[in-house]
Amino acid sequence: MKKVTRFFWFCSGAHIGTLKKYPLEHNKYVGIGATIFFTALFASLSGGYAMYFVFAGNHAAWVFAILFGLLWGTAIFNLDRYIVSSIDKTGTTNQQILQASPRILLAIMIGIVISRPLELKIFDKEIRQKLKTAYLKGQHRRIDTLTKTYNDKYAMELRKSAELKREKDSLENDINNSRVQLNQEVFGEKNDQTSGIVGYGTYAKQKQQVLQEKEDRLKTVMEDQGKMEDYLSRRKDFEGVTNTRLFTEHQLDSLSNVAGFSDRNWALGQLSYNENGTRDLDTFLAESFISWLFILFECLPVFVKLMSPRGAYDIAVAKIGEADIHYAERDKERHIRVTDEVYDHRLERDIDKEKKIISAQSDYDFERHRYD
């Protein structure tokens, strides 16, 4: 239990040696340290989960996720620990709030960054379904675009193919009617189109000739239509219209599984809107509550430090800080005095040295001078 308590004291950024002397302050800093620790733990999970989707599809994705999660959690832990420990309780309430304002803004940003990947995991099923719908709509648009481009590019050929088809259908209908009339002529059935004479006579031969001409024309039209359809089919393959199909359910599952962080983040943002563009209030409130929960959780250590009254530990830390400042000032004076004394000593020695050199040089010059 003592080890856990000391660990949470360390997490809170408190000076453990000083904190030990004031038992009434122990629980407060255990709570602050625990909050910082669990915030860092959530940050590790959040960062690791986000990195997992960055390397989705890679066999080493779990390794990268764990390493980045530990690194991200450690960074958030160190930052939170600094934010809380740097709040000075010696000033007035307004001064403390003003001092903590940048730290609160930073805590809010950290809370948003932490909450987003965890929201992606919480709404994972809904995000997958939204991605499937988006991928299917995107494939529909792609097919429509390819089809429109193909129709515009080969409009003349398509019109020609349609004309051949209409002519073919018309000829087939005419041939059927002509065969009926030929049979009626041969068997002597009297109507507006036949003579009523039984046998294969002149009228029957004429109708046979007309039927043959229509059949020959139908054969030509069918050959032309076959060539045109073959050409258009090859053009469809070339333009990608034939090979582009709607995704199957299995393909949609695969695409949603390997979706990156950006796509999943977009899908999460779209969950709070209905198909008609209106706001889905239930989903929006659920996402907002989760975000604000993590933001509040991140800001909680700062709020606890601000709301807690100035205790014996805070006074002791402030006094230690004043003593350290006083020691630093006196240490500065000591260094200045030592520097001055050493400088003066070196100056005197240099002066004596220069005097001796000048005297020796003068004696030397005097001995060598001649007075002839």
Side-chain angles (χ1 to χ4, degrees):
M1 189 65 184
K2 289 184 178 180
K3 291 182 178 179
V4 175
T5 300
R6 287 178 63 88
F7 174 72
F8 287 141
W9 286 351
F10 166 76
C11 294
S12 69
H15 188 270
I16 296 177
T18 305
L19 185 59
K20 282 182 178 180
K21 302 176 184 178
Y22 306 100
L24 294 178
E25 300 283 295
H26 290 181
N27 290 335
K28 180 175 75 174
Y29 284 91
V30 167
I32 293 174
T35 305
I36 293 174
F37 171 75
F38 285 110
T39 301
L41 181 61
F42 283 128
S44 296
L45 296 175
S46 174
Y49 185 73
M51 186 56 62
Y52 174 76
F53 280 102
V54 171
F55 292 95
N58 192 320
H59 295 295
W62 282 105
V63 177
F64 288 116
I66 292 172
L67 291 177
F68 181 80
L70 292 174
L71 180 63
W72 180 246
T74 303
I76 296 300
F77 171 78
N78 183 64
L79 194 57
D80 283 346
R81 188 170 177 267
Y82 166 74
I83 289 173
V84 174
S85 63
S86 62
I87 297 177
D88 187 8
K89 296 292 292 183
T90 58
T92 63
T93 302
N94 292 334
Q95 289 175 340
Q96 292 180 37
I97 293 175
L98 183 63
Q99 182 188 29
S101 296
R103 293 164 174 80
I104 292 174
L105 292 176
L106 183 59
I108 290 173
M109 294 300 300
I110 294 173
I112 294 173
V113 172
I114 290 175
S115 66
R116 198 63 175 177
L118 293 178
E119 288 177 26
L120 293 176
K121 182 59 179 175
I122 293 171
F123 295 99
D124 182 61
K125 291 182 179 179
E126 292 80 3
I127 288 172
R128 289 175 183 271
Q129 190 59 41
K130 179 64 72 172
L131 287 173
K132 288 181 182 180
T133 304
Y135 291 149
L136 196 58
K137 288 182 178 179
Q139 191 70 352
H140 268 296
R141 288 193 296 270
R142 184 164 183 262
I143 291 174
D144 292 342
T145 301
L146 287 173
T147 303
K148 185 178 183 302
T149 303
Y150 169 80
N151 291 336
D152 293 341
K153 190 173 182 179
Y154 301 99
M156 185 174 66
E157 289 83 354
L158 289 169
R159 282 196 301 270
K160 181 64 176 176
S161 178
E163 291 172 0
L164 290 171
K165 186 178 185 304
R166 285 194 297 270
E167 185 178 359
K168 172 178 168 290
D169 294 339
S170 177
L171 284 170
E172 287 177 345
N173 187 51
D174 289 345
I175 287 171
N176 290 332
N177 292 332
S178 296
R179 283 175 179 170
V180 171
Q181 292 176 14
L182 177 61
N183 289 332
Q184 290 175 345
E185 182 68 37
V186 171
F187 290 105
E189 295 182 13
K190 178 64 176 177
N191 55 42
D192 295 339
Q193 303 294 330
T194 60
S195 64
I197 303 174
V198 180
Y200 193 74
T202 303
Y203 293 106
K205 290 180 180 179
Q206 291 176 352
K207 293 184 182 298
Q208 177 66 41
Q209 184 179 0
V210 171
L211 176 62
Q212 186 63 45
E213 290 175 356
K214 290 181 179 180
E215 288 179 343
D216 292 341
R217 177 58 186 168
L218 176 62
K219 183 179 179 181
T220 302
V221 169
M222 292 179 65
E223 289 177 355
D224 292 343
Q225 185 187 20
K227 293 178 181 178
M228 183 61 68
E229 288 180 350
D230 180 65
Y231 172 77
L232 291 174
S233 177
R234 285 185 282 109
R235 290 294 90 190
K236 277 187 176 182
D237 293 338
F238 178 77
E239 299 292 341
V241 178
T242 305
N243 298 327
T244 305
R245 294 287 185 271
L246 290 176
F247 293 129
T248 64
E249 189 65 25
H250 177 70
Q251 289 174 323
L252 290 173
D253 288 335
S254 300
L255 288 171
S256 63
N257 288 333
V258 299
F261 184 82
S262 177
D263 287 347
R264 296 178 67 83
N265 185 59
W266 170 85
L268 178 60
Q270 294 299 311
L271 287 180
S272 58
Y273 293 94
N274 296 314
E275 292 292 333
N276 58 5
T278 59
R279 176 76 74 178
D280 186 349
L281 188 59
D282 294 335
T283 306
F284 173 73
L285 290 177
E287 291 181 20
S288 300
F289 286 152
I290 293 172
S291 298
W292 283 109
L293 176 63
F294 281 100
I295 291 172
L296 178 62
F297 196 73
E298 177 64 28
C299 297
L300 194 59
V302 180
F303 291 152
V304 170
K305 190 71 178 288
L306 286 175
M307 291 185 297
S308 62
R310 186 182 182 188
Y313 169 77
D314 298 312
I315 297 173
V317 170
K319 297 300 181 184
I320 292 173
E322 292 176 2
D324 288 341
I325 293 174
H326 178 71
Y327 179 82
E329 292 292 338
R330 294 305 304 270
D331 196 46
K332 172 187 173 184
E333 294 175 2
R334 180 180 66 84
H335 280 294
I336 292 174
R337 184 172 178 180
V338 169
T339 301
D340 290 342
E341 293 290 341
V342 170
Y343 184 83
D344 291 340
H345 179 68
R346 286 179 178 175
L347 182 60
E348 291 177 358
R349 291 190 60 182
D350 289 342
I351 291 173
D352 292 340
K353 183 178 179 181
E354 289 294 329
K355 286 180 178 181
K356 290 179 179 180
I357 291 174
I358 294 172
S359 298
Q361 185 65 41
S362 299
D363 294 341
Y364 177 77
D365 292 340
F366 181 76
E367 291 177 357
R368 291 176 59 85
H369 185 70
R370 293 183 180 182
Y371 296 95
D372 297 338

